[in-house]
Structure formats: C-alpha cells, structure tokens
Amino acid sequence: MSSNKNARYNRFSSGTTNITPSENTNGTRMETTFGPAYSAVTTITKADGTNTFKQHRRTPSSSSTLTYSPRDEDDGMPPISTPRRSDSAISVRSLHSESNMSLRSTFSLHEEEEEPVEKCPVDNAKLTVVVNNIAVAEQIGELFIHCKYGCRAAASSKPTAFEVDPRGCPFTIKLSARKDHESSCDYRPVRCPNNPSCPPLLKMNLEAHLKECEHIKCPHSKYGCTFIGNQDTYETHLETCKFEGLKEFLQQTDDRFHEMQVAMAQKDQEIAFLRSMLGKLSEKIDQLEKNLELKFDVLDENQSKLSEDLMEFRRDASMLNDELSHINARLNTGILGSYDPQQIFKCKGTFVGHQGPVWCLCVYSIGDLLFSGSSDKTIKVWDTCTTYKCQKTLEGHDGIVLALCIQGNKLYSGSADCTIIVWDIQNLQKVNTIRAHDNPVCTLVSSHNMLFSGSLKAIKVWDIVGTELKLKKELTGLNHWVRALVASQNYLYSGSYQTIKIWDIRNLECVHVLQTSGGSVYSIAVTNHHIVCGTYENLIHVWDIETKEQVRTLTGHVGTVYALAVISTPDQTKVFSASYDRSLRVWSMDNMICTQTLLRHQGSVTALAVSRGRLFSGAVDSTVKVWTC
C-alpha cells in the first residue's frame, strides 16, 4: 500500500507544464469526483497544509469542481509537475497559491475565515464545515512546484500559461513549504525604502543598492530636515544635524501627541455613545408623549360619548314629562275623546333597503306606490298594498335626492346636484333631466299644471308640457333657503328664514307674509282651518287660515321639526310632526294638544307622507316605517 502510494504521488514530469485555464478567469480549478459515500462532502485544502471538509445539500450530480481565486494580485500561477493516478478518485489539474475556494457545478464552497458566512451561488444554501481531511492534505502538500519568482508568463496566447524563467529562482519546493520559501526568496522583487522612484530590485541586490543609493533621507525629515544623500554623506550629516540633539525631546513629543490622539479618540467614542443614548432618550420621550396624547384622545372621546348619552337621556326624560303633562291636562279638563284608543297609531312595518338617510317621501295613490329619496342618490319604489317590497330602484342623480313630487303619471325628483329629473311612473323610466338651479333643489310641489321648485333665495315656476319643463317665472324676494313649499287650492305657501310667504298661483304674486320666530321654516302643512309650520328651534306655529292671525305655538319636540303631514276626517283633523329628536308626534287640531308620541326610529325623522289613513315616515337610520291605527 505504501509503495503504491509513493509511486502514485511522486512521479513528476521534468519539462515545463502549462496550466490548464479554468472556467473562472480569477484562478484555476481542481476537479474532484467522490464515491457515493462522500457525495455530500467536499474537501478544501490550503497551501499551508491545513484542510477542511465542507458539507452541502446534495444535487443530482455527484461531480464537483473547485476553483481557487488568488488573494494577492501579484500572486501568479506557477507551473507544476502533475502526478498521474490510475483511478479517477482525485485528478489535480492545476493549483494556485493560498486561496479562497468556491465549488462550482454541483457544489459551491468558500473558505470560512473571519469573513461573513458564505452561501452557494447556485441554490443559495449555507456552507458549513464538516471535518478536516488529513490524508488529502498530506497528499497535496507533498506536491513539488516551482517558486513563483522563478516563473514567467509564457509566450503563448493563453493569459494563464507560465514557463520557467532561467534568470529567476531555480528552486522547486513542496507546496506545503511554499509560503515560507517565497517570503525569504532572494529573487523576490522589492522596492527601495528610500525612494519609490528607484528602479525595481531583487531582494539579493537590496543591500548593495542601499550603500550606493543617493536618496537616503535624514531620520528627522518629518520634523523639517531636508537632507537627502548617500550612505557616506548620511553619516556625516547626522553629526551636524540640528535635530539630532533634540531627538529625545522630539520622540517624547511624538509619544505625547500620540497619547493625546488616543485620548481624543476615546473622548469621541464617549461623545458618540452619549449622543446615541440622548437619541434613544428622545425617542422614548416622543413615544411617551404619543401614548399620552392617545390616552387623552380616548378620554376626550369617552367624555364626549358620555355627554351625548346624557343629553339624549335628558331629551327622552323631557319628552316623557311632556307626555305626562298632556295626559294630565286632558284628564283635568275632561277631554278624553282625543285619547281614543281607536285612534292610537302603531308601527306596522319597516321598509329597509337604502344605504343612506331618507330625506323625502311621496305617495302615488293610484298604484299604491311609495317613492323614497335618499343620500345614496337613488329613489326606491315600494309596493304598499300587496308585496310590501321594493319594486325598483331609480338611478340617475349625482347627488342626494332631497325632494319628490307627483303630477299626473310623472314623478319629479330634485337633488343636491341642482337638477330635476322627470320619471314616467308607468314604466319607471327616466324621460328628461333639467338643470334647474345653481344650488341644490330643496323642495318640489305641483299645482295647476305647474311645478314649483325651491332653492337658495329662489322659487322657480315651470310649465309642465308633456315630459318637458318650461321655465315660466322666478319668484324672488326670499331671504334664505326655501326648504318648504305647499300648494293648497289657489295658493302657494313658501317657508324661509322666520317667514312664510303666501303666493296667488293664478298671477304668481305674493299676497301675504307671515312672520315667525324660531329660525328657518323647515316644514309647512295646511288644513281646512289652519296654517302650520315647523321651525329650526323645535317649535310648531299655528295660524288661522282666514284671519292670518297666529293662534298657538305647539311645544314638545327637542329638535328641529323637519316634516309635517295632515290626515283629515269629517270628525277631526290630525297633524303629524317629525323631528330631529327621533320622534313623531300626533297633534289634535281640535284642541291643539299632542295625543301621541311615536318612538321607533333610531335616527332623526326627516320626511312624512300619508295615504288612505296610513302614515309613512323616513329617517336618517335609512328606513321607512309604516304607521296605522
């Protein structure tokens, strides 16, 4: 076994050998083929004889190529005598200097020194050290190579081919001793320590050059001495150099200066540390401030919610007290007929479907249809007789639907987009769109084949011609938004800020003005004997329709009265009021008292409509409720 080993690894060719170039232009490669038992382990051996095993995730191929990359830029690739081996276990094609190694093809490994953890460039797997391979290290370390200072680039076109230089180092050395030899080789190129511009030298010629060099500087040149000369003049200069006598002082000064630099560096580190700590402290303070602000915000929000709940509780308590007061008043005056159980309204159902507050309602009694307009920019058509479901959703407006009105078989809708859309009720299709105002259309009413639309400080009168609207006149002299319009017999009633104007529909002239209190007029209703209006400041004013004298102010609501509706019978007249306080109230116009309060909506009640003794109410909670006796 030993003789075979020596015969196998100690036969060298005597001629020069060109190095076979590898796939990596930065170095040569060593190809190694392992048996099945070692298919996942690769050996890495350095020139100093040390070697390691590295493990890699197995890939389908069992062959591997090791590429050596030189560390020193001037480290050339010397030719070597290549041993022959009968089997294919290890074939060394070329070696380089002490190097980093990367496994190409199946495996890719890098030497792990003090560098970051290397990863395979093929599959990005982490490379780990397994075990040292002493046997392979000894085999490679016994290889003989030429000293790199005895080689030169070959004359061939191959950039990585070398040949023996007869003027260079004549020694061949073992690969394991290469580093020690080349560090002390007499043929190693060196530079003159006195002047870099001196011609290149070999180490063996350096001593002779220094004796003849004309560029020797005074050792005190760093302090300002300008002497430059040869060895003889140098020794003479030292005897007369003015800095020589101050040598010890200058050295102490340098030492002291160095100590001061070290101390300053330490102080700089301390300052940097203190700055970092100050930065962290500032961040901590900022974080605490943010947390404190967040807690204050949560506290304010909770306090606001508690305040709202308390106000709502007080409103409910006030409404209950008012209701009890009315009941007591009726009991004390003996008026029991107004509280007839047969006339109590109850909620019979709820229409759900809108995605926003309901702002207006309108009834088409011929087909028992109810139309509702909402903030979701749609109009829904509800069956109020048979299925009680939404028949269709009408889309066409680009803003909130604020007003609805029916004339004949046409539905008119006004919106915050400043338009009026005409709809055919028979097929529920849009037939026309009119740019009506420069501001949102707040209210609509029809009478005498005319349509009246209210907006900011203006009422426009339109002649209805088929599906067209022809502007007839614009009524002016209004002081604020016109949010309420009601047509009764030959008169049009309009409400704005603390004013109700009565217009003669036949000549479109203002014939009377009623002054109110309580802010803007939001709603108007007209009975056989009274004019009723609801205001911003929770009040309901009542005037005699003949004398135009105010006869009563009804109180009870604790929010703006958004809508009014009337149900009249031969025996009595009832007025319904809808308010921001989420309630509906039923008022008997015979004795001007509230006979019932309806509380079922979860938001402000904004719209009312009546049909066949039924009451419909729309609210901000996006629902429409049906009330009957």
Side-chain angles (χ1 to χ4, degrees):
M1 178 68 72
S2 176
S3 61
N4 291 338
K5 175 181 177 181
N6 294 334
R8 182 175 301 167
Y9 291 105
N10 290 305
R11 290 195 298 267
F12 305 97
S13 59
S14 58
T16 61
T17 304
N18 293 337
I19 305 299
T20 303
S22 67
E23 296 177 0
N24 189 337
T25 59
N26 294 329
T28 59
R29 68 185 183 186
M30 182 179 73
E31 293 186 352
T32 305
T33 302
F34 298 88
Y38 302 97
S39 58
V41 179
T42 301
T43 304
I44 297 176
T45 305
K46 298 192 295 185
D48 58 3
T50 61
N51 50 82
T52 57
F53 264 85
K54 292 194 175 182
Q55 189 176 29
H56 192 280
R57 181 170 59 85
R58 178 68 185 269
T59 59
S61 174
S62 61
S63 64
S64 61
T65 301
L66 287 175
T67 299
Y68 291 74
S69 301
R71 287 185 179 176
D72 303 326
E73 294 181 357
D74 61 342
D75 196 5
M77 294 183 297
I80 64 170
S81 299
T82 307
R84 298 187 302 272
R85 183 168 180 178
S86 58
D87 59 10
S88 60
I90 297 179
S91 174
V92 179
R93 293 196 177 177
S94 60
L95 293 175
H96 201 300
S97 62
E98 178 182 355
S99 58
N100 295 328
M101 305 179 186
S102 63
L103 182 63
R104 300 172 63 91
S105 182
T106 306
F107 306 107
S108 179
L109 302 173
H110 288 274
E111 189 176 20
E112 294 182 325
E113 295 182 347
E114 296 180 357
E115 301 176 357
V117 176
E118 300 289 351
K119 293 184 178 180
C120 174
V122 177
D123 57 8
N124 206 32
K126 180 180 178 181
L127 308 180
T128 57
V129 176
V130 180
V131 68
N132 290 333
N133 189 335
I134 299 175
V136 175
E138 290 178 352
Q139 294 172 8
I140 295 177
E142 291 298 319
L143 294 176
F144 279 87
I145 64 172
H146 285 280
C147 174
K148 72 176 182 179
Y149 301 119
C151 300
R152 64 185 179 187
S156 63
S157 60
K158 297 180 181 180
T160 56
F162 292 83
E163 64 184 8
V164 174
D165 186 358
R167 294 175 298 176
C169 179
F171 296 102
T172 57
I173 54 176
K174 290 185 178 182
L175 182 61
S176 59
R178 174 196 171 198
K179 186 175 181 180
D180 294 337
H181 169 79
E182 291 181 351
S183 63
S184 60
C185 183
D186 289 338
Y187 290 86
R188 180 168 62 89
V190 295
R191 291 287 184 181
C192 176
N194 297 326
N195 187 6
S197 63
C198 287
L201 304 169
L202 297 181
K203 182 180 177 183
M204 66 177 69
N205 301 327
L206 179 60
E207 185 175 355
H209 170 78
L210 291 177
K211 292 179 180 180
E212 300 174 356
C213 184
E214 296 292 337
H215 300 92
I216 301 177
K217 293 183 180 180
C218 177
H220 307 302
S221 59
K222 62 181 178 179
Y223 303 119
C225 183
T226 59
F227 170 81
I228 298 177
N230 56 26
Q231 185 68 29
D232 295 336
T233 57
Y234 170 75
E235 293 175 356
T236 303
H237 168 74
L238 287 180
E239 296 176 357
T240 60
C241 182
K242 61 182 179 180
F243 294 99
E244 185 67 18
L246 301 174
K247 178 168 61 175
E248 295 182 359
F249 173 75
L250 294 174
Q251 183 62 40
Q252 292 175 357
T253 303
D254 284 346
D255 294 342
R256 181 60 179 166
F257 184 71
H258 177 69
E259 291 174 0
M260 292 177 64
Q261 287 181 325
V262 173
M264 287 180 63
Q266 292 177 349
K267 294 299 182 183
D268 289 341
Q269 292 179 354
E270 293 176 0
I271 291 173
F273 173 74
L274 292 176
R275 285 179 177 172
S276 65
M277 294 301 294
L278 182 61
K280 292 180 180 179
L281 182 60
S282 299
E283 292 177 358
K284 187 66 175 178
I285 292 175
D286 292 341
Q287 186 65 32
L288 291 176
E289 289 179 351
K290 291 180 181 178
N291 292 338
L292 187 61
E293 291 177 357
L294 182 61
K295 290 180 180 179
F296 276 129
D297 292 341
V298 173
L299 182 62
D300 291 341
E301 184 178 354
N302 292 337
Q303 185 177 0
S304 176
K305 289 181 179 179
L306 288 175
S307 299
E308 292 178 358
D309 293 342
L310 181 59
M311 291 179 62
E312 186 173 351
F313 172 76
R314 288 177 177 174
R315 285 198 299 267
D316 294 342
S318 176
M319 292 169 58
L320 290 174
N321 290 332
D322 291 342
E323 188 72 23
L324 290 174
S325 297
H326 290 306
I327 293 174
N328 289 332
R330 288 196 299 272
L331 292 175
N332 293 334
T333 57
I335 306 174
L336 299 178
S338 62
Y339 203 73
D340 186 355
Q342 298 298 325
Q343 298 297 320
I344 292 179
F345 281 82
K346 299 179 182 179
C347 181
K348 295 298 184 179
T350 303
F351 293 131
V352 178
H354 279 296
Q355 301 301 312
V358 177
W359 293 107
C360 52
L361 295 172
C362 187
V363 174
Y364 183 60
S365 57
I366 297 178
D368 286 314
L369 298 178
L370 175 69
F371 299 89
S372 59
S374 169
S375 290
D376 60 14
K377 306 177 184 179
T378 67
I379 302 169
K380 288 190 178 291
V381 186
W382 308 92
D383 182 352
T384 63
C385 183
T386 55
T387 63
Y388 300 98
K389 293 182 180 180
C390 179
Q391 299 297 304
K392 191 172 183 180
T393 299
L394 309 181
E395 298 180 351
H397 282 293
D398 295 327
I400 299 172
V401 181
L402 296 172
L404 293 171
C405 173
I406 290 177
Q407 173 69 27
N409 62 351
K410 299 293 188 297
L411 170 70
Y412 300 90
S413 60
S415 169
D417 61 12
C418 310
T419 65
I420 298 175
I421 294 182
V422 184
W423 310 84
D424 189 326
I425 298 179
Q426 300 302 322
N427 53 26
L428 297 176
Q429 296 294 326
K430 179 171 68 173
V431 294
N432 197 5
T433 301
I434 299 95
R435 177 76 181 185
H437 290 270
D438 296 329
N439 294 286
V441 180
C442 298
T443 180
L444 293 172
V445 69
S446 63
S447 180
H448 292 67
N449 205 38
M450 291 184 291
L451 180 70
F452 302 88
S453 60
S455 185
L456 178 61
K457 297 183 180 181
I459 300 173
K460 288 188 177 182
V461 184
W462 309 83
D463 277 329
I464 300 175
V465 182
T467 60
E468 299 292 329
L469 293 179
K470 304 295 184 181
L471 181 61
K472 182 174 184 179
K473 186 177 181 180
E474 182 172 348
L475 307 182
T476 58
L478 300 155
N479 59 9
H480 207 261
W481 287 96
V482 179
R483 294 188 175 92
L485 284 177
V486 171
S488 177
Q489 297 181 359
N490 294 322
Y491 296 98
L492 173 71
Y493 301 83
S494 65
S496 54
Y497 182 73
Q498 296 193 155
T499 302
I500 294 177
K501 287 195 173 186
I502 304 175
W503 310 79
D504 190 324
I505 295 179
R506 292 164 295 189
N507 56 23
L508 299 176
E509 297 293 334
C510 180
V511 296
H512 204 90
V513 178
L514 304 179
Q515 298 296 330
T516 72
S517 62
S520 296
V521 176
Y522 272 75
S523 53
I524 297 176
V526 178
T527 70
N528 294 332
H529 305 288
H530 299 98
I531 303 169
V532 186
C533 80
T535 66
Y536 174 78
E537 295 182 358
N538 320 336
L539 301 176
I540 299 174
H541 298 290
V542 183
W543 288 268
D544 186 283
I545 196 169
E546 298 294 339
T547 65
K548 307 298 188 293
E549 296 290 334
Q550 184 170 346
V551 295
R552 187 69 62 91
T553 296
L554 307 180
T555 61
H557 282 298
V558 292
T560 300
V561 181
Y562 281 129
L564 293 170
V566 179
I567 293 181
S568 295
T569 64
D571 298 332
Q572 59 182 345
T573 299
K574 291 184 181 295
V575 171
F576 300 87
S577 60
S579 172
Y580 174 82
D581 61 16
R582 305 183 183 181
S583 71
L584 292 87
R585 285 180 178 264
V586 185
W587 305 88
S588 172
M589 299 309 293
D590 297 333
N591 47 26
M592 303 290 178
I593 64 173
C594 176
T595 61
Q596 190 177 357
T597 300
L598 309 177
L599 294 170
R600 292 297 293 272
H601 281 290
Q602 300 301 313
S604 303
V605 188
T606 57
L608 293 175
V610 294
S611 175
R612 300 183 182 181
R614 295 173 298 178
L615 175 68
F616 302 94
S617 61
V620 174
D621 60 11
S622 307
T623 65
V624 178
K625 293 189 180 295
V626 184
W627 308 84
T628 60
C629 294

